[in-house]
Amino acid sequence: VVMFVGKTRVQGDNADPGGTVSLWLDLDGQRVGNTAIQQLATPSSVSQRTVSASYLAAGSAALGPSTHRIRLYARVDGQFKHLSMVKDLPLLWFD
């Protein structure tokens, strides 16, 4: 049983009209778990938000003995000029 969690903080500024930020995990080339989507819109783009995605590999989805690759992806759509994403907690896992 393994749990993967990826997190980031996103923040725009007053010059950012807005859009969406998406965050997801990829395990061995396959998208897994939830896709986190956070909308930012003016005038509240300056408010900082935490976005997280997670995946529990257990039961029939348990990982077999082998080398596995887990990646955390982020995508930004919209009209941003100064959006920042902080990787202060990029990926956690436990078994």
Side-chain angles (χ1 to χ4, degrees):
V1 176
V2 181
M3 174 76 172
F4 299 99
V5 180
K7 296 183 180 186
T8 188
R9 288 180 291 141
V10 296
Q11 182 175 13
D13 68 14
N14 290 329
D16 292 319
T20 59
V21 175
S22 304
L23 190 73
W24 68 91
L25 291 165
D26 177 290
L27 177 63
D28 297 334
Q30 298 293 317
R31 206 173 198 168
V32 294
N34 66 308
T35 299
I37 299 174
Q38 176 64 58
Q39 182 179 15
L40 288 90
T42 192
S44 300
S45 293
V46 297
S47 261
Q48 195 175 92
R49 291 140 170 107
T50 300
V51 183
S52 67
S54 62
Y55 177 65
L56 178 63
S60 63
L63 299 177
S66 183
T67 300
H68 299 279
R69 177 178 283 184
I70 186 82
R71 291 185 176 183
L72 180 63
Y73 288 98
R75 178 183 169 131
V76 177
D77 294 297
Q79 299 178 352
F80 293 105
K81 294 180 181 179
H82 305 117
L83 183 75
S84 66
M85 297 182 83
V86 180
K87 57 180 192 172
D88 57 352
L89 191 61
L91 182 63
L92 291 174
W93 69 93
F94 62 87
D95 62 358

Coordinates of all heavy atoms in Angstrom, one line a residue:
V1 N 0.9 -1.2 0.0 CA 0.0 0.0 0.0 C 0.9 1.2 0.0 O 1.7 1.4 0.9 CB -0.9 0.0 1.2 CG1 -1.7 1.3 1.3 CG2 -1.8 -1.2 1.3
V2 N 0.7 2.1 -1.0 CA 1.5 3.3 -1.1 C 0.6 4.5 -1.4 O -0.3 4.4 -2.3 CB 2.6 3.2 -2.2 CG1 3.4 4.5 -2.3 CG2 3.5 2.0 -2.0
M3 N 0.8 5.6 -0.7 CA 0.0 6.8 -0.9 C 0.9 7.9 -1.5 O 2.0 8.1 -0.9 CB -0.6 7.3 0.4 CG -1.3 8.6 0.3 SD -2.9 8.4 -0.5 CE -3.6 10.0 -0.2
F4 N 0.5 8.5 -2.6 CA 1.3 9.6 -3.2 C 0.5 10.9 -3.0 O -0.7 10.9 -3.3 CB 1.6 9.4 -4.7 CG 2.4 8.1 -4.9 CD1 1.8 6.9 -5.3 CD2 3.7 8.2 -4.8 CE1 2.5 5.8 -5.6 CE2 4.5 7.0 -5.1 CZ 3.9 5.8 -5.5
V5 N 1.1 12.0 -2.6 CA 0.4 13.3 -2.5 C 1.4 14.3 -3.1 O 2.5 14.4 -2.6 CB 0.0 13.6 -1.1 CG1 -0.6 15.0 -1.0 CG2 -0.8 12.5 -0.4
G6 N 0.9 15.1 -4.0 CA 1.7 16.3 -4.5 C 0.9 17.5 -4.2 O -0.3 17.6 -4.3
K7 N 1.6 18.6 -3.8 CA 1.0 19.8 -3.4 C 1.8 21.0 -4.0 O 3.0 20.9 -4.2 CB 0.9 20.0 -1.9 CG 0.1 19.0 -1.2 CD 0.0 19.3 0.3 CE -0.9 18.3 0.9 NZ -1.1 18.6 2.3
T8 N 1.2 22.1 -4.2 CA 1.8 23.4 -4.5 C 0.9 24.5 -4.1 O -0.2 24.3 -3.8 CB 2.1 23.5 -6.0 OG1 2.9 24.6 -6.3 CG2 0.8 23.6 -6.8
R9 N 1.6 25.7 -3.9 CA 0.8 26.9 -3.6 C 0.8 27.7 -4.9 O 1.9 27.9 -5.5 CB 1.4 27.7 -2.5 CG 1.2 27.0 -1.1 CD 1.8 27.7 0.0 NE 3.3 27.7 -0.1 CZ 4.1 28.7 0.2 NH1 3.6 29.9 0.5 NH2 5.4 28.6 0.1
V10 N -0.3 28.3 -5.2 CA -0.4 29.2 -6.4 C -0.9 30.6 -6.0 O -1.7 30.7 -5.1 CB -1.3 28.6 -7.5 CG1 -0.8 27.3 -8.0 CG2 -2.8 28.4 -7.0
Q11 N -0.4 31.6 -6.7 CA -0.8 32.9 -6.4 C -0.5 33.8 -7.6 O 0.5 33.7 -8.3 CB 0.0 33.5 -5.2 CG -0.4 34.9 -4.9 CD 0.3 35.4 -3.6 OE1 1.3 34.8 -3.1 NE2 -0.2 36.5 -3.1
G12 N -1.5 34.6 -8.0 CA -1.3 35.6 -9.0 C -1.1 37.0 -8.4 O -0.8 37.1 -7.2
D13 N -1.3 38.0 -9.2 CA -1.3 39.4 -8.7 C -2.4 40.2 -9.3 O -3.2 39.7 -10.1 CB 0.1 40.0 -8.7 CG 0.5 40.3 -10.1 OD1 -0.3 40.3 -11.1 OD2 1.7 40.6 -10.3
N14 N -2.4 41.5 -9.0 CA -3.5 42.4 -9.6 C -3.5 42.5 -11.1 O -4.5 42.9 -11.7 CB -3.4 43.8 -9.0 CG -3.7 43.7 -7.5 OD1 -4.6 42.9 -7.1 ND2 -3.1 44.6 -6.7
A15 N -2.4 42.1 -11.7 CA -2.3 42.2 -13.2 C -2.8 40.9 -13.9 O -2.9 40.9 -15.1 CB -0.8 42.4 -13.6
D16 N -3.2 39.9 -13.1 CA -3.7 38.7 -13.7 C -5.2 38.6 -13.8 O -5.9 38.6 -12.8 CB -3.2 37.5 -12.8 CG -1.7 37.3 -12.9 OD1 -1.1 37.4 -14.0 OD2 -1.1 37.0 -11.8
P17 N -5.7 38.6 -15.0 CA -7.2 38.6 -15.2 C -7.7 37.2 -14.6 O -8.9 37.2 -14.1 CB -7.4 38.7 -16.7 CG -6.2 39.3 -17.2 CD -5.1 38.9 -16.3
G18 N -7.0 36.2 -14.7 CA -7.4 34.9 -14.2 C -7.3 33.7 -15.1 O -6.9 33.8 -16.3
G19 N -7.8 32.6 -14.6 CA -7.8 31.3 -15.3 C -7.8 30.2 -14.4 O -8.3 30.3 -13.2
T20 N -7.3 29.0 -14.8 CA -7.3 27.8 -13.9 C -5.9 27.2 -13.8 O -5.1 27.3 -14.8 CB -8.3 26.8 -14.4 OG1 -7.9 26.4 -15.7 CG2 -9.7 27.3 -14.4
V21 N -5.7 26.6 -12.7 CA -4.5 25.8 -12.5 C -4.9 24.3 -12.2 O -5.8 24.1 -11.5 CB -3.7 26.3 -11.3 CG1 -2.5 25.4 -10.9 CG2 -3.3 27.8 -11.5
S22 N -4.3 23.4 -12.9 CA -4.6 22.0 -12.7 C -3.3 21.3 -12.3 O -2.2 21.6 -12.6 CB -5.0 21.3 -14.1 OG -6.1 22.0 -14.6
L23 N -3.5 20.2 -11.4 CA -2.4 19.5 -10.9 C -2.8 18.0 -10.9 O -3.9 17.7 -10.5 CB -2.1 20.0 -9.4 CG -0.9 19.5 -8.7 CD1 0.3 20.2 -9.3 CD2 -1.0 19.8 -7.2
W24 N -1.9 17.1 -11.3 CA -2.2 15.7 -11.3 C -1.0 14.9 -11.2 O 0.1 15.3 -11.4 CB -3.0 15.3 -12.6 CG -2.3 15.4 -13.9 CD1 -1.6 14.4 -14.5 CD2 -2.2 16.6 -14.7 NE1 -1.0 14.9 -15.6 CE2 -1.4 16.2 -15.8 CE3 -2.7 17.9 -14.6 CZ2 -1.1 17.1 -16.8 CZ3 -2.4 18.8 -15.6 CH2 -1.6 18.4 -16.7
L25 N -1.1 13.6 -10.9 CA 0.0 12.6 -10.8 C -0.1 11.7 -12.0 O -1.1 11.3 -12.5 CB -0.2 11.8 -9.5 CG 0.0 12.6 -8.2 CD1 -0.5 11.8 -7.1 CD2 1.5 12.9 -8.0
D26 N 1.1 11.2 -12.4 CA 1.3 10.3 -13.5 C 2.2 9.1 -12.9 O 3.2 9.4 -12.4 CB 2.0 11.0 -14.6 CG 2.3 10.0 -15.8 OD1 3.2 9.2 -15.6 OD2 1.7 10.2 -16.8
L27 N 1.7 7.9 -13.0 CA 2.4 6.8 -12.5 C 2.7 5.8 -13.6 O 1.8 5.3 -14.3 CB 1.6 6.0 -11.4 CG 2.1 4.7 -10.8 CD1 3.5 5.0 -10.1 CD2 1.1 4.1 -9.9
D28 N 4.0 5.6 -13.9 CA 4.4 4.8 -15.0 C 3.7 5.1 -16.3 O 3.3 4.2 -17.1 CB 4.1 3.3 -14.7 CG 4.9 2.8 -13.5 OD1 6.0 3.4 -13.2 OD2 4.5 1.9 -12.8
G29 N 3.5 6.4 -16.6 CA 3.0 6.8 -17.9 C 1.5 6.9 -17.9 O 0.9 7.3 -19.0
Q30 N 0.8 6.6 -16.8 CA -0.7 6.7 -16.8 C -1.1 7.7 -15.7 O -0.6 7.7 -14.6 CB -1.3 5.3 -16.4 CG -0.9 4.2 -17.4 CD -1.7 4.5 -18.7 OE1 -2.8 4.8 -18.7 NE2 -0.9 4.3 -19.8
R31 N -2.1 8.6 -16.1 CA -2.6 9.5 -15.1 C -3.4 8.8 -14.1 O -4.2 7.9 -14.4 CB -3.6 10.4 -15.9 CG -3.7 11.8 -15.3 CD -4.5 12.7 -16.2 NE -4.4 14.0 -15.8 CZ -4.7 15.1 -16.6 NH1 -5.3 14.9 -17.7 NH2 -4.5 16.3 -16.1
V32 N -3.1 9.1 -12.8 CA -3.8 8.4 -11.7 C -4.3 9.4 -10.7 O -3.9 10.5 -10.6 CB -2.8 7.4 -11.0 CG1 -2.4 6.2 -11.9 CG2 -1.6 8.1 -10.4
G33 N -5.3 8.9 -9.9 CA -5.8 9.7 -8.8 C -6.7 10.9 -9.3 O -7.2 10.9 -10.4
N34 N -6.9 11.9 -8.4 CA -7.7 13.0 -8.8 C -6.9 14.0 -9.6 O -5.7 14.1 -9.5 CB -8.3 13.6 -7.5 CG -7.2 14.3 -6.7 OD1 -6.2 13.6 -6.3 ND2 -7.3 15.5 -6.3
T35 N -7.6 14.9 -10.3 CA -7.0 16.1 -10.9 C -7.6 17.3 -10.2 O -8.8 17.5 -10.1 CB -7.4 16.2 -12.4 OG1 -6.9 15.0 -13.1 CG2 -6.8 17.4 -13.0
A36 N -6.7 18.0 -9.5 CA -7.1 19.2 -8.8 C -7.2 20.4 -9.7 O -6.3 20.6 -10.6 CB -6.1 19.5 -7.7
I37 N -8.3 21.1 -9.6 CA -8.4 22.3 -10.5 C -8.8 23.5 -9.6 O -9.7 23.4 -8.8 CB -9.5 22.1 -11.5 CG1 -9.2 20.9 -12.4 CG2 -9.8 23.4 -12.3 CD1 -10.2 20.5 -13.4
Q38 N -8.0 24.6 -9.7 CA -8.3 25.8 -8.9 C -8.5 26.9 -9.9 O -7.6 27.2 -10.7 CB -7.1 26.0 -8.0 CG -7.3 27.3 -7.2 CD -8.4 27.3 -6.2 OE1 -8.5 26.5 -5.4 NE2 -9.3 28.2 -6.4
Q39 N -9.6 27.6 -9.7 CA -9.8 28.8 -10.6 C -9.3 30.1 -9.8 O -9.6 30.2 -8.6 CB -11.3 29.0 -10.9 CG -11.6 30.2 -11.8 CD -13.1 30.3 -12.1 OE1 -13.9 29.6 -11.5 NE2 -13.3 31.1 -13.1
L40 N -8.7 31.0 -10.5 CA -8.3 32.3 -10.0 C -8.9 33.3 -10.9 O -8.9 33.2 -12.1 CB -6.8 32.4 -10.0 CG -6.0 31.6 -9.0 CD1 -5.6 30.3 -9.6 CD2 -4.8 32.3 -8.5
A41 N -9.5 34.3 -10.3 CA -10.2 35.4 -11.0 C -10.0 36.7 -10.4 O -9.9 36.8 -9.2 CB -11.7 35.1 -11.2
T42 N -9.8 37.7 -11.2 CA -9.6 39.1 -10.7 C -10.9 39.5 -9.9 O -12.0 39.1 -10.3 CB -9.3 40.1 -11.8 OG1 -8.9 41.3 -11.3 CG2 -10.5 40.3 -12.7
P43 N -10.8 40.2 -8.8 CA -9.7 40.8 -8.2 C -9.1 39.9 -7.1 O -8.2 40.3 -6.4 CB -10.3 42.0 -7.5 CG -11.7 41.5 -7.1 CD -12.1 40.6 -8.2
S44 N -9.5 38.6 -7.1 CA -9.0 37.7 -6.0 C -7.8 36.8 -6.4 O -7.4 35.9 -5.8 CB -10.1 36.8 -5.6 OG -11.2 37.6 -5.0
S45 N -7.2 37.1 -7.6 CA -6.0 36.4 -8.0 C -4.8 36.4 -7.0 O -4.0 35.6 -7.0 CB -5.6 36.8 -9.4 OG -6.5 36.5 -10.4
V46 N -4.8 37.5 -6.2 CA -3.7 37.7 -5.3 C -3.8 36.8 -4.1 O -2.8 36.7 -3.4 CB -3.5 39.2 -4.9 CG1 -3.2 40.1 -6.1 CG2 -4.8 39.7 -4.2
S47 N -4.9 36.2 -3.9 CA -5.1 35.3 -2.8 C -4.4 34.0 -3.0 O -4.5 33.4 -4.1 CB -6.6 34.9 -2.6 OG -7.1 35.7 -1.6
Q48 N -3.5 33.6 -2.1 CA -2.7 32.3 -2.3 C -3.6 31.1 -2.0 O -4.5 31.2 -1.1 CB -1.6 32.4 -1.3 CG -0.5 31.4 -1.6 CD 0.6 31.6 -0.6 OE1 0.6 31.0 0.4 NE2 1.6 32.4 -1.0
R49 N -3.4 30.1 -2.8 CA -4.2 28.8 -2.6 C -3.3 27.6 -2.6 O -2.3 27.6 -3.3 CB -5.2 28.7 -3.7 CG -6.4 29.7 -3.7 CD -6.6 30.1 -5.1 NE -7.9 30.9 -5.2 CZ -7.8 32.2 -5.4 NH1 -6.7 32.8 -5.5 NH2 -8.9 32.9 -5.5
T50 N -3.7 26.6 -1.9 CA -2.9 25.3 -2.0 C -3.7 24.4 -2.8 O -4.9 24.2 -2.6 CB -2.7 24.7 -0.6 OG1 -2.0 25.7 0.2 CG2 -2.0 23.4 -0.6
V51 N -3.0 23.7 -3.7 CA -3.7 22.8 -4.6 C -3.0 21.4 -4.4 O -1.7 21.4 -4.3 CB -3.5 23.2 -6.1 CG1 -4.2 22.3 -7.0 CG2 -4.1 24.6 -6.3
S52 N -3.7 20.3 -4.3 CA -3.1 19.0 -4.1 C -3.8 17.9 -4.9 O -5.0 18.0 -5.2 CB -3.1 18.7 -2.6 OG -4.4 18.4 -2.2
A53 N -3.0 17.0 -5.3 CA -3.5 15.8 -6.0 C -2.9 14.6 -5.3 O -1.8 14.6 -4.7 CB -3.0 15.8 -7.5
S54 N -3.7 13.5 -5.3 CA -3.3 12.3 -4.5 C -3.7 11.0 -5.2 O -4.6 11.0 -6.1 CB -3.9 12.3 -3.1 OG -5.3 12.3 -3.1
Y55 N -3.0 9.9 -4.8 CA -3.4 8.6 -5.4 C -3.0 7.6 -4.3 O -1.9 7.6 -3.8 CB -2.6 8.3 -6.7 CG -2.8 7.0 -7.2 CD1 -4.1 6.6 -7.7 CD2 -1.8 6.0 -7.3 CE1 -4.3 5.3 -8.2 CE2 -2.0 4.8 -7.8 CZ -3.2 4.4 -8.2 OH -3.4 3.1 -8.7
L56 N -3.9 6.6 -4.0 CA -3.6 5.5 -3.1 C -3.5 4.3 -3.9 O -4.5 3.8 -4.6 CB -4.8 5.4 -2.1 CG -4.6 4.2 -1.1 CD1 -3.4 4.4 -0.3 CD2 -5.9 4.1 -0.3
A57 N -2.3 3.7 -4.0 CA -2.1 2.4 -4.7 C -2.3 1.3 -3.7 O -1.4 1.0 -2.9 CB -0.7 2.4 -5.3
A58 N -3.5 0.7 -3.7 CA -3.8 -0.3 -2.7 C -4.8 -1.3 -3.4 O -5.4 -1.0 -4.4 CB -4.4 0.3 -1.5
G59 N -5.0 -2.4 -2.7 CA -6.0 -3.4 -3.2 C -5.6 -3.9 -4.6 O -4.5 -4.2 -4.9
S60 N -6.6 -3.9 -5.5 CA -6.3 -4.3 -6.9 C -5.4 -3.4 -7.6 O -4.8 -3.7 -8.7 CB -7.6 -4.5 -7.7 OG -8.3 -3.2 -7.8
A61 N -5.2 -2.1 -7.1 CA -4.3 -1.2 -7.8 C -2.9 -1.1 -7.1 O -2.2 -0.2 -7.3 CB -5.0 0.2 -7.7
A62 N -2.7 -2.1 -6.2 CA -1.4 -2.1 -5.5 C -0.2 -2.2 -6.5 O -0.3 -2.9 -7.5 CB -1.3 -3.2 -4.4
L63 N 0.9 -1.6 -6.1 CA 2.1 -1.7 -7.0 C 2.8 -3.0 -6.8 O 3.0 -3.4 -5.7 CB 3.0 -0.5 -6.7 CG 2.4 0.9 -7.0 CD1 3.5 1.9 -6.6 CD2 2.0 1.1 -8.4
G64 N 3.2 -3.6 -7.9 CA 4.0 -4.8 -7.8 C 5.5 -4.5 -7.6 O 5.9 -3.3 -7.7
P65 N 6.2 -5.5 -7.2 CA 7.7 -5.3 -7.0 C 8.3 -4.9 -8.3 O 8.3 -5.7 -9.2 CB 8.2 -6.6 -6.4 CG 7.0 -7.5 -6.3 CD 5.8 -6.9 -6.9
S66 N 8.9 -3.7 -8.3 CA 9.5 -3.2 -9.6 C 10.0 -1.8 -9.3 O 9.7 -1.3 -8.3 CB 8.6 -3.3 -10.7 OG 9.2 -2.9 -11.9
T67 N 10.5 -1.2 -10.3 CA 10.8 0.2 -10.3 C 9.7 0.9 -10.9 O 9.2 0.6 -12.0 CB 12.1 0.5 -11.1 OG1 13.2 -0.2 -10.4 CG2 12.4 2.0 -11.0
H68 N 9.2 2.0 -10.2 CA 8.0 2.7 -10.8 C 8.4 4.2 -10.8 O 9.3 4.7 -10.1 CB 6.8 2.6 -9.9 CG 6.3 1.2 -9.8 ND1 5.5 0.6 -10.7 CD2 6.6 0.2 -8.8 CE1 5.3 -0.7 -10.4 NE2 5.9 -0.9 -9.2
R69 N 7.8 4.9 -11.8 CA 8.1 6.4 -11.9 C 6.8 7.1 -11.6 O 5.8 6.9 -12.2 CB 8.5 6.7 -13.3 CG 8.8 8.2 -13.5 CD 9.2 8.5 -14.9 NE 10.7 8.2 -14.9 CZ 11.5 8.4 -15.9 NH1 11.0 8.9 -17.0 NH2 12.7 8.1 -15.8
I70 N 6.9 8.0 -10.6 CA 5.8 8.9 -10.3 C 6.2 10.3 -10.6 O 7.3 10.8 -10.3 CB 5.4 8.8 -8.8 CG1 4.1 9.6 -8.5 CG2 6.5 9.2 -7.9 CD1 2.8 8.9 -8.8
R71 N 5.3 11.0 -11.3 CA 5.6 12.4 -11.7 C 4.4 13.3 -11.3 O 3.2 12.8 -11.4 CB 5.8 12.6 -13.2 CG 7.1 11.9 -13.6 CD 7.3 12.2 -15.1 NE 8.6 11.6 -15.5 CZ 9.1 11.8 -16.7 NH1 8.5 12.4 -17.6 NH2 10.3 11.2 -16.9
L72 N 4.7 14.5 -10.9 CA 3.6 15.5 -10.6 C 3.6 16.6 -11.7 O 4.7 17.1 -12.0 CB 3.9 16.1 -9.2 CG 3.0 17.2 -8.7 CD1 1.6 16.6 -8.5 CD2 3.5 17.8 -7.4
Y73 N 2.5 16.8 -12.3 CA 2.3 17.7 -13.4 C 1.4 18.9 -13.0 O 0.4 18.7 -12.3 CB 1.8 17.1 -14.6 CG 2.7 16.2 -15.4 CD1 2.6 14.8 -15.1 CD2 3.6 16.7 -16.2 CE1 3.5 13.9 -15.8 CE2 4.5 15.8 -16.9 CZ 4.4 14.4 -16.7 OH 5.3 13.6 -17.3
A74 N 1.7 20.1 -13.5 CA 0.8 21.2 -13.3 C 0.6 21.9 -14.7 O 1.5 21.8 -15.6 CB 1.5 22.2 -12.4
R75 N -0.6 22.4 -14.9 CA -0.9 23.1 -16.1 C -1.7 24.4 -15.8 O -2.5 24.4 -14.9 CB -1.8 22.2 -17.0 CG -2.2 22.9 -18.3 CD -3.1 22.0 -19.1 NE -3.7 22.8 -20.1 CZ -3.8 22.4 -21.4 NH1 -3.3 21.2 -21.7 NH2 -4.3 23.1 -22.3
V76 N -1.3 25.4 -16.5 CA -2.0 26.7 -16.2 C -2.7 27.1 -17.5 O -2.1 27.1 -18.6 CB -1.0 27.8 -15.8 CG1 -1.6 29.1 -15.7 CG2 -0.3 27.4 -14.5
D77 N -4.0 27.4 -17.4 CA -4.7 27.9 -18.6 C -5.4 29.3 -18.2 O -5.9 29.4 -17.1 CB -5.9 26.9 -19.0 CG -5.3 25.6 -19.4 OD1 -4.6 25.6 -20.5 OD2 -5.6 24.6 -18.8
G78 N -5.3 30.2 -19.1 CA -5.9 31.5 -18.9 C -5.0 32.6 -19.2 O -4.0 32.5 -20.0
Q79 N -5.3 33.8 -18.6 CA -4.5 35.0 -18.9 C -3.8 35.4 -17.7 O -4.2 36.3 -16.9 CB -5.4 36.1 -19.4 CG -6.2 35.7 -20.7 CD -7.1 36.8 -21.1 OE1 -7.3 37.8 -20.4 NE2 -7.7 36.7 -22.3
F80 N -2.6 34.8 -17.5 CA -1.8 35.2 -16.3 C -0.5 35.9 -16.8 O 0.1 35.5 -17.8 CB -1.4 33.9 -15.5 CG -2.5 33.3 -14.9 CD1 -3.0 32.1 -15.4 CD2 -3.1 33.8 -13.7 CE1 -4.1 31.4 -14.7 CE2 -4.1 33.2 -13.1 CZ -4.6 32.0 -13.6
K81 N -0.1 36.9 -16.1 CA 1.2 37.6 -16.3 C 2.2 37.2 -15.3 O 3.4 37.2 -15.6 CB 1.0 39.1 -16.4 CG 0.1 39.5 -17.6 CD -0.1 41.0 -17.6 CE -1.0 41.4 -18.7 NZ -1.2 42.8 -18.8
H82 N 1.8 37.0 -14.0 CA 2.7 36.9 -12.9 C 2.3 35.7 -12.0 O 2.6 35.8 -10.8 CB 2.8 38.2 -12.1 CG 3.1 39.4 -12.9 ND1 2.3 40.4 -13.1 CD2 4.3 39.6 -13.6 CE1 2.9 41.3 -13.9 NE2 4.0 40.9 -14.2
L83 N 1.7 34.7 -12.5 CA 1.3 33.6 -11.6 C 2.6 32.9 -11.1 O 3.5 32.6 -11.8 CB 0.5 32.6 -12.4 CG 0.0 31.4 -11.5 CD1 -1.2 31.9 -10.6 CD2 -0.5 30.3 -12.4
S84 N 2.5 32.5 -9.8 CA 3.7 31.8 -9.2 C 3.1 30.5 -8.6 O 2.0 30.4 -8.1 CB 4.4 32.6 -8.2 OG 3.5 32.8 -7.1
M85 N 3.9 29.4 -8.8 CA 3.7 28.1 -8.2 C 4.9 27.8 -7.3 O 6.0 27.8 -7.8 CB 3.4 27.1 -9.2 CG 2.2 27.4 -10.1 SD 1.9 26.1 -11.3 CE 1.0 24.9 -10.3
V86 N 4.7 27.5 -6.1 CA 5.8 27.2 -5.2 C 5.8 25.7 -4.9 O 4.8 25.0 -4.6 CB 5.5 27.9 -3.8 CG1 6.6 27.6 -2.8 CG2 5.4 29.4 -4.0
K87 N 7.0 25.1 -5.1 CA 7.1 23.7 -4.8 C 7.8 23.4 -3.5 O 8.7 22.7 -3.3 CB 7.9 23.0 -5.9 CG 9.3 23.6 -6.2 CD 9.9 22.8 -7.3 CE 11.4 23.1 -7.4 NZ 12.1 22.3 -8.3
D88 N 7.1 24.0 -2.5 CA 7.6 23.8 -1.1 C 7.2 22.4 -0.6 O 7.8 22.0 0.4 CB 7.1 24.9 -0.2 CG 5.6 25.0 -0.1 OD1 4.9 24.4 -0.9 OD2 5.1 25.8 0.7
L89 N 6.3 21.7 -1.2 CA 5.9 20.4 -0.8 C 5.6 19.6 -2.1 O 4.4 19.3 -2.3 CB 4.7 20.5 0.1 CG 4.3 19.2 0.8 CD1 5.5 18.7 1.7 CD2 3.1 19.4 1.7
P90 N 6.6 19.4 -2.9 CA 6.3 18.8 -4.3 C 5.7 17.4 -4.3 O 4.8 17.1 -5.0 CB 7.6 18.9 -5.0 CG 8.6 18.9 -3.9 CD 8.0 19.6 -2.8
L91 N 6.2 16.5 -3.4 CA 5.7 15.2 -3.5 C 6.0 14.4 -2.1 O 7.1 14.5 -1.6 CB 6.3 14.4 -4.6 CG 5.9 13.0 -4.8 CD1 4.4 12.9 -5.2 CD2 6.7 12.3 -5.9
L92 N 4.9 13.8 -1.6 CA 5.1 13.0 -0.4 C 4.6 11.5 -0.8 O 3.7 11.4 -1.5 CB 4.1 13.5 0.7 CG 4.4 14.8 1.4 CD1 3.3 15.1 2.3 CD2 5.7 14.7 2.1
W93 N 5.2 10.6 -0.2 CA 4.7 9.2 -0.3 C 5.0 8.4 1.0 O 5.9 8.8 1.7 CB 5.3 8.5 -1.5 CG 6.7 8.2 -1.4 CD1 7.3 7.0 -0.9 CD2 7.8 9.0 -1.7 NE1 8.7 7.1 -0.9 CE2 9.0 8.3 -1.4 CE3 7.9 10.3 -2.2 CZ2 10.3 8.9 -1.6 CZ3 9.2 10.8 -2.4 CH2 10.3 10.1 -2.1
F94 N 4.2 7.5 1.2 CA 4.4 6.6 2.4 C 3.9 5.2 2.0 O 3.0 5.0 1.2 CB 3.8 7.1 3.7 CG 2.3 7.3 3.6 CD1 1.4 6.2 4.0 CD2 1.7 8.5 3.3 CE1 0.1 6.4 3.9 CE2 0.3 8.7 3.2 CZ -0.5 7.6 3.6
D95 N 4.4 4.2 2.7 CA 4.0 2.9 2.5 C 3.8 2.2 3.8 O 4.2 2.7 4.9 CB 4.9 2.1 1.6 CG 6.3 1.9 2.1 OD1 6.6 2.5 3.2 OD2 7.1 1.3 1.4

